[in-house]
Each structure stands twice: as structure tokens, then as C-alpha cells.
Amino acid sequence: MTIASLDTTPASDATVNHVNHAPRHPHARPVGSDSYIWIDGRGFPKTGNPKYLLPNDDIECQRLTTQHYILGRVIKSPYRAPITEALEKGIKVLNVGCGPGAWSKELAVRFPFSTFVATDIADVFNATGSPPNVTFIVADTFKLPFEDESFDYVFQRFHCLCFTEAAWPTIIRELMRVTKPGGTLELVEISCTIHDAGPVTTTYFEKLRMTMLMRGVNSNYAPLLGGTMTSEGLENVKHEQVKWNIGWGHPELGRLTTENTAATFGGLKPQMLLVLGLDEEEYDQTVREAIKELSGAYPSYWTIECFHGTKPDPDCDAPER
């Protein structure tokens, strides 16, 4: 396992422009949409994952799109698996739980000879301007609508709030099922703990962790995924940790990460009001204090856990461990 951290060199103009110029959605989807339940002005799809606390409205899609471009700078690439040469030649790629689809759209532009399929349980895709080699499909990750051994590369990112701890082996088996022998499965996850945070932030995320545990979701399961991948039969599983600074380090990325975290607080508000036992003004004040802590007052950071492994190919010798 290797550990990396966000460097302090200036971000490229292209990266900053991607973040600042991502499509803006200042309002949630129109109230009255038959497919959404509305709580305090935020939209939750009726057919979405009941374990998931965050909404799936336009505001959240904007947050996820911005987060995608921040992560590309923090992790140095949209992916960590050694898959670039294969992508350049042309392979079939599945992006599971894609949200608005920024990951698939970016890679489809970079690798026009590869074919990308992106799935999510909710129809939140921003397909506008998508390259012709991307297809979006509404699908449940527990039962993907694909034949066995359909994809050369399967990618999933940031699902720590989506699945119970008991469900993770089932999820990995399903992702392996649709991966071709010799293909690559990559999981990029994050634990819902902010390290070296101030007292208000620490209390908030401890309450969030306990809330998820009551739903059967271990929001700090991410570091354990490598063992689960290996036990489910993936070979040559590699693990890398990346430190993601919040509000410090690189000025632009630190600021953008704080803003993105603030947007996460906003998305969690309808559910967390009940958990914290606060009224709306008290919640907003708590968030303001947490954001102040996350704006450089403490050297806070997330830890991103990156894993990738190979599905065994019975026609080839097993790779060295």
C-alpha cells in the first residue's frame, strides 16, 4: 500500500476551468415531479436507494460534477488502475453508480476507441453533450442488466453511504460477474471521517456515522475493501491511500473542497435535522461553525482509498502476488 497527498503545485488551467465552468443547477428539480419525494426543498427519488441519505436533485448533481473534477486533481487521474494503454486501444468500460456521469463523459472524450456504459439506480444523468461512445442506463447495482463477462474494466467510486457492510461482498461479486476474465475492477472509496477536524465537525460526522450504523451501513468500511476483494477471488489487489486536504494546502483546491463539503452538509440537512435534534436555524449555525473549522483553522483531511484488482483468467497463469 502506498500513501500520497495532494501536492501544492498550481492546478492546471484546464482543471480549474473544468471546476469553475461545470454546468450550474442553482435550483432543485421542479416540485411536482412524480418520480421524486421532496423534503425541505430537496429531491429524493422514489425508486432510489433507501439507505442513501443524500438527495438526487440538480443541486446534488452539480456538487457531484464539481467533486469529480476536484478528485481528478487530487488523485492525479480519474482512475488509478494501470489501464491507460488498453483504453487507448479500445475496450468496454462499465461505470457503476455513475451519478450525473462526469467520469464516463470525461474518459469517453479522452479515449474515443473505448466504449463506456454508465449506470445508476436513479435517472440523474446529465447526458447533454455526451460523446457518442457513452450510454447511460438506469440499473440496480445488485442486479446489473448485463451478461456475464461483458466488460474489460469496471469502475465504481464513493459508495460508502450506499451499501450495508453485509452487502459489500454481494456487490463485489456482481461487479466481478460482469467483468471479463483478466479484466480489471477498480473501487475508489472514502471513509466518512474527517481527520484532524475541529470539535463541531468531529461531532457532526460521528453523529452521521452512528446514523448510518443504525441503517446497517458502516461508513468507515472503505479501508477493508481490499480484503473483501481478495476474499471474493480478485487477484493482485493493489491499495493506495490518497490524502485529500480540506481548506488548506493548495489554495484553490482547498477552497473548492471546503465548498464541496459545505454542499454535502446542505444535502444531508433534511435527514440530519431529525438525527441531531436541531431546528433549521440551529442546524445552519452548526454547519457555519463546521465550515469555519474546515476553512484552514485545522489541518483537516479526508482519506481516499483506491483499490484495483484482476479477475482470474483460467486460460492464463495466475499473476504473481
Side-chain angles (χ1 to χ4, degrees):
M1 180 184 74
T2 58
I3 301 177
S5 62
L6 189 157
D7 68 14
T8 57
T9 57
S12 68
D13 292 340
T15 300
V16 174
N17 286 341
H18 269 306
V19 174
N20 292 339
H21 297 161
R24 296 289 177 181
H25 300 282
H27 305 291
R29 293 180 188 273
V31 176
S33 170
D34 292 337
S35 61
Y36 278 73
I37 298 171
W38 295 89
I39 305 174
D40 294 332
R42 300 305 301 267
F44 298 82
K46 294 178 181 179
T47 58
N49 182 349
K51 302 290 184 184
Y52 193 59
L53 289 180
L54 286 163
N56 291 106
D57 53 25
D58 284 345
I59 297 172
E60 176 63 5
C61 287
Q62 171 58 41
R63 185 191 72 80
L64 291 172
T65 300
T66 302
Q67 176 181 268
H68 165 74
Y69 292 111
I70 298 171
L71 287 171
R73 187 66 182 91
V74 173
I75 303 177
K76 313 296 185 184
S77 170
Y79 54 89
R80 299 302 294 174
I83 200 77
T84 301
E85 184 176 349
L87 288 167
E88 290 173 342
K89 291 180 179 178
I91 57 175
K92 292 185 67 177
V93 180
L94 175 63
N95 177 198
V96 181
C98 68
W103 186 90
S104 291
K105 291 169 68 174
E106 178 184 344
L107 266 67
V109 171
R110 288 177 56 183
F111 303 107
F113 296 113
S114 288
T115 300
F116 295 82
V117 177
T119 68
D120 201 282
I121 194 170
D123 184 3
V124 294
F125 316 122
N126 180 8
T128 304
S130 294
N133 54 331
V134 179
T135 302
F136 293 99
I137 299 174
V138 175
D140 185 346
T141 304
F142 283 95
K143 192 174 182 180
L144 294 167
F146 308 113
E147 298 293 330
D148 295 355
E149 304 176 0
S150 294
F151 298 94
D152 301 283
Y153 175 41
V154 176
F155 179 88
Q156 179 179 277
R157 183 173 68 191
F158 283 15
H159 282 63
C160 62
L161 297 181
C162 296
F163 308 127
T164 65
E165 183 169 350
W168 271 106
T170 302
I171 292 296
I172 290 172
R173 283 194 295 272
E174 180 66 358
L175 300 181
M176 289 180 64
R177 180 186 68 80
V178 299
T179 304
K180 294 179 182 179
T184 298
L185 170 60
E186 179 169 1
L187 303 178
V188 176
E189 286 298 334
I190 191 169
S191 293
C192 283
T193 296
I194 296 182
H195 304 281
D196 294 344
V200 176
T201 305
T202 299
T203 298
Y204 183 98
F205 279 93
E206 179 60 18
K207 297 264 190 185
L208 175 61
R209 186 184 72 83
M210 296 302 297
T211 300
M212 298 311 299
L213 280 177
M214 288 189 290
R215 294 169 172 242
V217 176
N218 180 358
S219 58
N220 288 334
Y221 187 71
L224 305 177
L225 278 171
T228 306
M229 293 169 74
T230 298
S231 65
E232 292 302 326
L234 281 162
E235 297 178 330
N236 201 28
V237 174
K238 304 296 185 184
H239 178 201
E240 180 181 9
Q241 291 181 323
V242 180
K243 185 177 177 182
W244 183 9
N245 298 337
I246 308 173
W248 64 284
H250 184 281
E252 181 71 358
L253 292 178
R255 178 185 63 78
L256 289 169
T257 300
T258 298
E259 291 176 359
N260 202 261
T261 305
T264 302
F265 285 132
L268 290 168
K269 180 176 179 178
Q271 306 281 3
M272 291 298 287
L273 279 174
L274 296 175
V275 173
L276 296 173
L278 302 176
D279 62 31
E280 189 166 349
E281 178 53 38
E282 289 173 325
Y283 182 90
D284 291 344
Q285 179 60 33
T286 297
V287 168
R288 284 192 291 269
E289 292 175 8
I291 293 304
K292 186 176 180 179
E293 292 178 349
L294 294 171
S295 298
Y298 295 83
S300 306
Y301 64 94
W302 302 100
T303 299
I304 304 171
E305 312 281 350
C306 306
F307 301 91
H308 60 83
T310 304
K311 182 175 178 177
D313 186 346
D315 295 329
C316 299
D317 294 332
E320 295 182 1
R321 293 185 181 274

